Amino acid sequence: MASLSAQIPLCLALMMAACLMIGINGSIDGAQREFDYFALSLQWPGTICHKTRHCCSSNACCRGSNSPTEFTIHGLWPDYNDGTWPSCCYRSQFDVKEISTLLDALEKHWPSLYCGKSSTCFKKHGTCSSPVIRDEYSYFITTLNVYFKYNVTKILNEAGYVPSNSERYPLGGIVSAIENSFRATPEVICSKEAVEEIRICFFKDFKPRNCLASKTSCPKYVSLPAYVSMGREASESEIAWISDDEAL
């Protein structure tokens, strides 16, 4: 079980999911239609952490040797086939006690990679997962189970696409490795030439389906940057440490 000191920054990070959980007693806000499919959005820490300018206790990039080195969860998002998405369909309070048994797994596989307050409502889609997912615990455990079953990091490593600060890999090879394993086409998002995010799409029964993106922000050859330690022990680092209060 995660310690109380570890739970507090995690809870701050999970407040990003204040609209991500699906409140049983929440009321529908507006008349948004039911979604068409799910997108599991995965972040590559090596790319995001390279851009870190401030550290705080809730930022997993700043854990030093304990920082994430695999794709981590960004979210499980209900989307529409027309390229739009619903958001914040229910108004409900996030209760960390509902997911107390999941905190260790969430801290490791669904950490915050930033300092700062939670994003605005339009980015928070999980409240619109009904009728497939109907409560807070189910949302988080379902997302974790899908993440473990469709292990993108393992698939890419086995295909020879490993973290490196010198190698460049063909984008088509990365896409093909995932297609061959899941029988579905992912969406790959880049920051310049570095892979920042990979999205795996699913029907409502969580069988893989093709993602809809017809264009990509990535060049033909991309990188998977290796993580560079940003922990407190890295005294030579120019990264500034700030408190969680300052981050908010």
Side-chain angles (χ1 to χ4, degrees), residues 155-196:
I155 293 301
L156 294 185
N157 285 350
E158 289 177 348
Y161 303 117
V162 297
S164 172
N165 289 322
S166 58
E167 293 293 328
R168 295 292 181 270
Y169 303 116
L171 175 64
I174 289 176
V175 170
S176 293
I178 295 173
E179 286 179 331
N180 292 339
S181 295
F182 303 156
R183 299 294 184 260
T185 302
E187 179 181 0
V188 184
I189 298 170
C190 292
S191 175
K192 297 182 179 179
E193 81 286 347
V195 173
E196 184 170 82

Short mmCIF file of all heavy atoms in Angstrom, two decimals, residues 155-196:
data_model
loop_
_atom_site.label_atom_id
_atom_site.label_comp_id
_atom_site.label_asym_id
_atom_site.label_seq_id
_atom_site.Cartn_x
_atom_site.Cartn_y
_atom_site.Cartn_z
N ILE A 155 5.93 -4.62 -26.67
CA ILE A 155 5.85 -4.89 -28.10
C ILE A 155 6.97 -4.18 -28.85
O ILE A 155 7.65 -4.78 -29.71
CB ILE A 155 4.48 -4.45 -28.65
CG1 ILE A 155 3.35 -5.31 -28.07
CG2 ILE A 155 4.46 -4.47 -30.18
CD1 ILE A 155 3.48 -6.77 -28.36
N LEU A 156 7.20 -2.92 -28.53
CA LEU A 156 8.24 -2.16 -29.23
C LEU A 156 9.63 -2.65 -28.87
O LEU A 156 10.51 -2.76 -29.73
CB LEU A 156 8.09 -0.67 -28.93
CG LEU A 156 6.81 -0.01 -29.46
CD1 LEU A 156 6.83 1.50 -29.19
CD2 LEU A 156 6.62 -0.27 -30.95
N ASN A 157 9.86 -2.97 -27.61
CA ASN A 157 11.17 -3.48 -27.20
C ASN A 157 11.50 -4.79 -27.91
O ASN A 157 12.63 -5.01 -28.37
CB ASN A 157 11.21 -3.68 -25.68
CG ASN A 157 11.32 -2.38 -24.92
OD1 ASN A 157 11.54 -1.32 -25.51
ND2 ASN A 157 11.15 -2.43 -23.61
N GLU A 158 10.51 -5.67 -28.00
CA GLU A 158 10.73 -6.96 -28.66
C GLU A 158 11.00 -6.79 -30.15
O GLU A 158 11.66 -7.63 -30.77
CB GLU A 158 9.52 -7.86 -28.44
CG GLU A 158 9.39 -8.36 -26.99
CD GLU A 158 8.16 -9.20 -26.77
OE1 GLU A 158 7.28 -9.22 -27.67
OE2 GLU A 158 8.05 -9.83 -25.70
N ALA A 159 10.51 -5.69 -30.73
CA ALA A 159 10.75 -5.42 -32.15
C ALA A 159 12.04 -4.64 -32.37
O ALA A 159 12.38 -4.31 -33.51
CB ALA A 159 9.57 -4.64 -32.73
N GLY A 160 12.76 -4.35 -31.28
CA GLY A 160 14.04 -3.65 -31.40
C GLY A 160 13.96 -2.16 -31.23
O GLY A 160 14.97 -1.46 -31.39
N TYR A 161 12.79 -1.64 -30.88
CA TYR A 161 12.63 -0.20 -30.69
C TYR A 161 12.77 0.11 -29.20
O TYR A 161 11.81 0.03 -28.43
CB TYR A 161 11.29 0.26 -31.24
CG TYR A 161 11.12 -0.08 -32.70
CD1 TYR A 161 10.11 -0.95 -33.13
CD2 TYR A 161 11.98 0.44 -33.66
CE1 TYR A 161 9.96 -1.27 -34.46
CE2 TYR A 161 11.84 0.11 -35.01
CZ TYR A 161 10.84 -0.74 -35.40
OH TYR A 161 10.71 -1.07 -36.73
N VAL A 162 13.98 0.43 -28.80
CA VAL A 162 14.31 0.62 -27.39
C VAL A 162 14.71 2.07 -27.14
O VAL A 162 15.09 2.79 -28.07
CB VAL A 162 15.46 -0.32 -26.96
CG1 VAL A 162 15.04 -1.77 -27.11
CG2 VAL A 162 16.72 -0.04 -27.79
N PRO A 163 14.60 2.54 -25.88
CA PRO A 163 14.98 3.92 -25.59
C PRO A 163 16.42 4.22 -25.98
O PRO A 163 17.33 3.43 -25.70
CB PRO A 163 14.79 4.02 -24.07
CG PRO A 163 13.80 2.95 -23.74
CD PRO A 163 14.09 1.83 -24.70
N SER A 164 16.63 5.35 -26.62
CA SER A 164 17.97 5.74 -27.05
C SER A 164 18.00 7.24 -27.31
O SER A 164 17.03 7.80 -27.83
CB SER A 164 18.36 4.99 -28.33
OG SER A 164 19.58 5.50 -28.85
N ASN A 165 19.10 7.86 -26.95
CA ASN A 165 19.28 9.28 -27.24
C ASN A 165 20.12 9.50 -28.49
O ASN A 165 20.53 10.63 -28.77
CB ASN A 165 19.91 9.99 -26.03
CG ASN A 165 18.94 10.10 -24.87
OD1 ASN A 165 17.75 10.34 -25.06
ND2 ASN A 165 19.43 9.91 -23.66
N SER A 166 20.35 8.44 -29.24
CA SER A 166 21.12 8.57 -30.47
C SER A 166 20.44 7.93 -31.68
O SER A 166 20.61 8.39 -32.81
CB SER A 166 22.52 7.97 -30.30
OG SER A 166 22.44 6.60 -29.94
N GLU A 167 19.66 6.86 -31.44
CA GLU A 167 19.04 6.14 -32.55
C GLU A 167 17.78 6.86 -33.06
O GLU A 167 17.08 7.53 -32.32
CB GLU A 167 18.65 4.73 -32.11
CG GLU A 167 19.84 3.82 -31.81
CD GLU A 167 20.65 3.50 -33.05
OE1 GLU A 167 20.06 3.42 -34.15
OE2 GLU A 167 21.87 3.31 -32.92
N ARG A 168 17.53 6.68 -34.36
CA ARG A 168 16.28 7.11 -34.97
C ARG A 168 15.65 5.88 -35.62
O ARG A 168 16.33 5.09 -36.25
CB ARG A 168 16.51 8.19 -36.03
CG ARG A 168 17.06 9.50 -35.47
CD ARG A 168 16.04 10.22 -34.60
NE ARG A 168 16.54 11.48 -34.09
CZ ARG A 168 17.20 11.63 -32.95
NH1 ARG A 168 17.45 10.53 -32.21
NH2 ARG A 168 17.61 12.80 -32.54
N TYR A 169 14.36 5.73 -35.43
CA TYR A 169 13.66 4.55 -35.92
C TYR A 169 12.62 4.93 -36.97
O TYR A 169 12.02 6.01 -36.90
CB TYR A 169 12.94 3.85 -34.76
CG TYR A 169 13.84 3.43 -33.62
CD1 TYR A 169 13.70 3.98 -32.35
CD2 TYR A 169 14.84 2.48 -33.82
CE1 TYR A 169 14.52 3.60 -31.30
CE2 TYR A 169 15.67 2.08 -32.77
CZ TYR A 169 15.51 2.65 -31.52
OH TYR A 169 16.32 2.26 -30.48
N PRO A 170 12.37 4.05 -37.94
CA PRO A 170 11.33 4.36 -38.93
C PRO A 170 9.95 4.36 -38.28
O PRO A 170 9.57 3.39 -37.60
CB PRO A 170 11.47 3.23 -39.95
CG PRO A 170 12.14 2.12 -39.21
CD PRO A 170 13.04 2.76 -38.20
N LEU A 171 9.22 5.42 -38.49
CA LEU A 171 7.87 5.51 -37.93
C LEU A 171 7.01 4.34 -38.41
O LEU A 171 6.26 3.75 -37.62
CB LEU A 171 7.23 6.84 -38.34
CG LEU A 171 5.76 7.03 -37.94
CD1 LEU A 171 5.61 7.05 -36.43
CD2 LEU A 171 5.21 8.33 -38.56
N GLY A 172 7.16 3.99 -39.67
CA GLY A 172 6.38 2.88 -40.22
C GLY A 172 6.67 1.57 -39.51
O GLY A 172 5.77 0.73 -39.36
N GLY A 173 7.90 1.37 -39.07
CA GLY A 173 8.25 0.15 -38.34
C GLY A 173 7.59 0.09 -36.98
O GLY A 173 7.13 -0.98 -36.55
N ILE A 174 7.52 1.22 -36.29
CA ILE A 174 6.86 1.28 -34.99
C ILE A 174 5.37 1.00 -35.14
O ILE A 174 4.79 0.21 -34.39
CB ILE A 174 7.11 2.65 -34.33
CG1 ILE A 174 8.57 2.76 -33.89
CG2 ILE A 174 6.17 2.89 -33.16
CD1 ILE A 174 8.96 4.10 -33.32
N VAL A 175 4.76 1.63 -36.13
CA VAL A 175 3.33 1.40 -36.38
C VAL A 175 3.08 -0.06 -36.74
O VAL A 175 2.14 -0.69 -36.23
CB VAL A 175 2.83 2.35 -37.49
CG1 VAL A 175 1.41 1.96 -37.91
CG2 VAL A 175 2.87 3.80 -37.01
N SER A 176 3.92 -0.62 -37.59
CA SER A 176 3.74 -2.02 -38.01
C SER A 176 3.89 -2.99 -36.86
O SER A 176 3.17 -4.00 -36.79
CB SER A 176 4.75 -2.36 -39.12
OG SER A 176 4.47 -1.64 -40.30
N ALA A 177 4.82 -2.72 -35.94
CA ALA A 177 5.01 -3.61 -34.79
C ALA A 177 3.74 -3.68 -33.96
O ALA A 177 3.34 -4.76 -33.48
CB ALA A 177 6.18 -3.12 -33.94
N ILE A 178 3.08 -2.53 -33.78
CA ILE A 178 1.83 -2.50 -33.02
C ILE A 178 0.70 -3.14 -33.81
O ILE A 178 -0.10 -3.91 -33.27
CB ILE A 178 1.50 -1.05 -32.63
CG1 ILE A 178 2.57 -0.50 -31.68
CG2 ILE A 178 0.12 -0.97 -31.97
CD1 ILE A 178 2.45 0.97 -31.37
N GLU A 179 0.62 -2.84 -35.11
CA GLU A 179 -0.41 -3.43 -35.96
C GLU A 179 -0.31 -4.96 -35.97
O GLU A 179 -1.33 -5.66 -35.88
CB GLU A 179 -0.28 -2.90 -37.38
CG GLU A 179 -0.75 -1.48 -37.57
CD GLU A 179 -0.57 -1.00 -39.00
OE1 GLU A 179 0.36 -1.49 -39.67
OE2 GLU A 179 -1.35 -0.13 -39.44
N ASN A 180 0.90 -5.48 -36.07
CA ASN A 180 1.09 -6.93 -36.12
C ASN A 180 0.67 -7.62 -34.82
O ASN A 180 0.24 -8.78 -34.83
CB ASN A 180 2.55 -7.26 -36.45
CG ASN A 180 2.94 -6.85 -37.86
OD1 ASN A 180 2.08 -6.69 -38.72
ND2 ASN A 180 4.23 -6.66 -38.08
N SER A 181 0.82 -6.91 -33.71
CA SER A 181 0.48 -7.49 -32.41
C SER A 181 -0.99 -7.35 -32.07
O SER A 181 -1.60 -8.27 -31.52
CB SER A 181 1.33 -6.84 -31.31
OG SER A 181 2.70 -7.15 -31.50
N PHE A 182 -1.57 -6.19 -32.38
CA PHE A 182 -2.94 -5.90 -31.96
C PHE A 182 -3.95 -5.97 -33.08
O PHE A 182 -5.15 -5.84 -32.84
CB PHE A 182 -3.00 -4.51 -31.32
CG PHE A 182 -2.07 -4.31 -30.15
CD1 PHE A 182 -1.64 -3.05 -29.78
CD2 PHE A 182 -1.61 -5.40 -29.40
CE1 PHE A 182 -0.80 -2.85 -28.70
CE2 PHE A 182 -0.76 -5.22 -28.32
CZ PHE A 182 -0.35 -3.93 -27.97
N ARG A 183 -3.47 -6.12 -34.33
CA ARG A 183 -4.34 -6.15 -35.51
C ARG A 183 -5.16 -4.86 -35.62
O ARG A 183 -6.35 -4.88 -35.98
CB ARG A 183 -5.27 -7.37 -35.48
CG ARG A 183 -4.54 -8.69 -35.49
CD ARG A 183 -3.81 -8.89 -36.82
NE ARG A 183 -3.17 -10.20 -36.90
CZ ARG A 183 -1.88 -10.42 -36.67
NH1 ARG A 183 -1.09 -9.39 -36.33
NH2 ARG A 183 -1.35 -11.62 -36.78
N ALA A 184 -4.54 -3.75 -35.28
CA ALA A 184 -5.20 -2.45 -35.36
C ALA A 184 -4.13 -1.38 -35.50
O ALA A 184 -3.01 -1.52 -35.01
CB ALA A 184 -6.05 -2.20 -34.11
N THR A 185 -4.49 -0.28 -36.17
CA THR A 185 -3.55 0.80 -36.42
C THR A 185 -3.61 1.84 -35.31
O THR A 185 -4.69 2.37 -35.00
CB THR A 185 -3.86 1.49 -37.77
OG1 THR A 185 -3.80 0.51 -38.81
CG2 THR A 185 -2.86 2.60 -38.06
N PRO A 186 -2.46 2.17 -34.69
CA PRO A 186 -2.44 3.16 -33.63
C PRO A 186 -2.33 4.58 -34.19
O PRO A 186 -2.13 4.77 -35.40
CB PRO A 186 -1.18 2.80 -32.85
CG PRO A 186 -0.24 2.34 -33.94
CD PRO A 186 -1.13 1.60 -34.93
N GLU A 187 -2.43 5.53 -33.32
CA GLU A 187 -2.11 6.92 -33.66
C GLU A 187 -0.83 7.29 -32.91
O GLU A 187 -0.72 7.02 -31.71
CB GLU A 187 -3.24 7.86 -33.25
CG GLU A 187 -2.95 9.32 -33.55
CD GLU A 187 -4.07 10.26 -33.10
OE1 GLU A 187 -5.08 9.77 -32.56
OE2 GLU A 187 -3.93 11.49 -33.30
N VAL A 188 0.13 7.87 -33.60
CA VAL A 188 1.40 8.26 -32.99
C VAL A 188 1.52 9.78 -33.06
O VAL A 188 1.32 10.38 -34.11
CB VAL A 188 2.60 7.60 -33.70
CG1 VAL A 188 3.89 7.95 -32.97
CG2 VAL A 188 2.42 6.09 -33.76
N ILE A 189 1.85 10.39 -31.93
CA ILE A 189 1.99 11.84 -31.83
C ILE A 189 3.42 12.15 -31.42
O ILE A 189 3.97 11.51 -30.51
CB ILE A 189 1.00 12.42 -30.82
CG1 ILE A 189 -0.43 12.14 -31.29
CG2 ILE A 189 1.20 13.92 -30.62
CD1 ILE A 189 -1.48 12.46 -30.26
N CYS A 190 4.02 13.12 -32.07
CA CYS A 190 5.41 13.46 -31.80
C CYS A 190 5.58 14.91 -31.36
O CYS A 190 4.76 15.78 -31.67
CB CYS A 190 6.27 13.22 -33.05
SG CYS A 190 6.45 11.48 -33.50
N SER A 191 6.65 15.15 -30.63
CA SER A 191 7.14 16.49 -30.35
C SER A 191 8.44 16.64 -31.12
O SER A 191 9.45 16.04 -30.77
CB SER A 191 7.38 16.67 -28.85
OG SER A 191 7.96 17.93 -28.57
N LYS A 192 8.37 17.35 -32.22
CA LYS A 192 9.47 17.39 -33.20
C LYS A 192 9.70 15.96 -33.69
O LYS A 192 8.77 15.35 -34.22
CB LYS A 192 10.70 18.04 -32.61
CG LYS A 192 10.48 19.50 -32.23
CD LYS A 192 11.73 20.15 -31.68
CE LYS A 192 11.48 21.61 -31.35
NZ LYS A 192 12.68 22.28 -30.80
N GLU A 193 10.89 15.39 -33.50
CA GLU A 193 11.13 14.04 -34.01
C GLU A 193 10.94 12.97 -32.94
O GLU A 193 11.09 11.78 -33.22
CB GLU A 193 12.55 13.93 -34.59
CG GLU A 193 13.66 13.71 -33.59
CD GLU A 193 14.00 14.97 -32.78
OE1 GLU A 193 13.54 16.06 -33.16
OE2 GLU A 193 14.74 14.86 -31.79
N ALA A 194 10.59 13.36 -31.72
CA ALA A 194 10.49 12.40 -30.61
C ALA A 194 9.05 11.95 -30.40
O ALA A 194 8.12 12.77 -30.37
CB ALA A 194 11.03 13.04 -29.33
N VAL A 195 8.86 10.64 -30.25
CA VAL A 195 7.53 10.11 -29.94
C VAL A 195 7.11 10.61 -28.56
O VAL A 195 7.83 10.44 -27.57
CB VAL A 195 7.54 8.57 -29.96
CG1 VAL A 195 6.21 8.02 -29.45
CG2 VAL A 195 7.84 8.05 -31.36
N GLU A 196 5.97 11.22 -28.50
CA GLU A 196 5.45 11.75 -27.23
C GLU A 196 4.26 10.96 -26.72
O GLU A 196 4.07 10.80 -25.52
CB GLU A 196 5.07 13.22 -27.39
CG GLU A 196 4.60 13.89 -26.11
CD GLU A 196 4.47 15.38 -26.25
OE1 GLU A 196 3.43 15.84 -26.76
OE2 GLU A 196 5.43 16.10 -25.87
#
